[in-house]
Amino acid sequence: DVKVTQSSRYLVKRTGEKVFLECVQDMDHENMFWYRQDPGLGLRLIYFSYDVKMKEKGDIPEGYSVSREKKERFSLILESASTNQTSMYLCATSSPPGGPVEQYFGPGTRLTVT
Amino acid sequence: AQSVAQPEDQVNVAEGNPLTVKCTYSVSGNPYLFWYVQYPNRGLQFLLKYITGDNLVKGSYGFEAEFNKSQTSFHLKKPSALVSDSALYFCAVRDRNSGNTPLVFGKGTRLSVIA
């Protein structure tokens, strides 16, 4: 079974703090994704990565950056957290590239910025 | 561009009754289609997918979905609902010709099964 873990289930940060959300997968998947989930808006793609050290912007990249130094780890960074970044953050992975493959999701991190 | 619409924010059904959660899609070519379920404070779990062939796809927990190309729909169904089916359901699509692109998700439909 694919296992996708996220560093925290719940996180509370203050406005202006730098926040790191970590995602680790154990199945050697090439693709990794970060989404945020908000009521009424569904899942919105922030960033994704097809390989180590590469990244692609999703639909809502503003205020976020990512890092993928190793294949199994994909980090989401909030450079200066703001209250409008309070949300549920979901990491996902998939393999092989392209084709009819589903994405596997982690349990999510519920971030509150005060 | 790819998109998915889930026209109902909420679906209520009595336990034991059949349930349907609706999904329509838009792609330029032919689609790969997916359904996911999310229980409270959890990540998304894969239920089933349509690739090609038989229009009726069977998945986990007794769910199935019917692909209808002419109506561009992929509705999720279950013959007899359980209270434990109460959750948030997401439909997703990827155009077959879009290469290695992420899935595009709908906004979700909350299913409530009442005992």
Side-chain angles (χ1 to χ4, degrees):
Chain A
D1 281 351
V2 177
K3 189 168 184 182
V4 183
T5 58
Q6 295 184 228
S7 49
S8 305
R9 294 298 304 274
Y10 300 93
L11 205 55
V12 180
K13 296 292 182 180
R14 294 188 180 275
T15 301
E17 280 193 81
K18 190 168 186 176
V19 181
F20 292 86
L21 303 182
E22 304 286 338
C23 176
V24 179
Q25 50 104 353
D26 67 354
M27 287 301 293
D28 203 35
H29 282 185
E30 292 86 356
N31 303 332
M32 297 189 76
F33 311 87
W34 275 108
Y35 294 88
R36 64 175 282 177
Q37 181 183 8
D38 301 286
L41 298 177
L43 273 69
R44 292 182 290 169
L45 183 64
I46 304 172
Y47 269 97
F48 57 104
S49 169
Y50 295 142
D51 201 350
V52 175
K53 295 191 183 296
M54 71 82 58
K55 60 186 177 185
E56 296 281 348
K57 292 181 179 179
D59 299 319
I60 52 164
E62 296 79 18
Y64 304 94
S65 62
V66 290
S67 172
R68 193 167 182 197
E69 296 296 318
K70 295 184 178 181
K71 189 174 185 179
E72 67 270 20
R73 187 181 297 269
F74 192 36
S75 302
L76 180 69
I77 303 157
L78 287 66
E79 294 289 343
S80 178
S82 63
T83 55
N84 62 13
Q85 293 178 309
T86 292
S87 186
M88 170 73 110
Y89 290 87
L90 294 166
C91 175
T93 75
S94 70
S95 182
V101 292
E102 59 269 30
Q103 292 175 191
Y104 297 87
F105 283 82
T109 296
R110 188 167 293 281
L111 173 67
T112 301
V113 182
T114 61
Chain B
Q2 308 171 78
S3 67
V4 171
Q6 294 181 243
E8 301 155 317
D9 293 334
Q10 172 99 26
V11 171
N12 298 319
V13 63
E15 188 175 30
N17 282 2
L19 70 87
T20 298
V21 182
K22 295 180 180 177
C23 171
T24 59
Y25 67 90
S26 175
V27 295
S28 58
N30 292 308
Y32 298 127
L33 292 156
F34 305 79
W35 274 103
Y36 286 81
V37 61
Q38 185 182 36
Y39 298 101
N41 297 312
R42 304 290 296 274
L44 274 67
Q45 296 178 32
F46 169 73
L47 277 178
L48 51 81
K49 65 182 175 184
Y50 171 78
I51 302 173
T52 188
D54 194 346
N55 289 341
L56 186 64
V57 179
K58 295 189 183 296
S60 306
Y61 313 121
F63 283 94
E64 57 191 27
E66 187 168 12
F67 172 64
N68 187 317
K69 187 172 184 178
S70 63
Q71 297 185 4
T72 62
S73 67
F74 189 56
H75 300 332
L76 182 70
K77 301 182 180 185
K78 188 173 182 181
S80 178
L82 300 172
V83 172
S84 58
D85 293 330
S86 299
L88 191 56
Y89 290 82
F90 290 94
C91 183
V93 69
R94 181 190 294 121
D95 189 325
R96 288 172 190 253
N97 298 325
S98 66
N100 191 21
T101 57
L103 297 181
V104 174
F105 286 85
K107 293 186 177 181
T109 298
R110 187 166 299 281
L111 174 67
S112 180
V113 181
I114 304 159

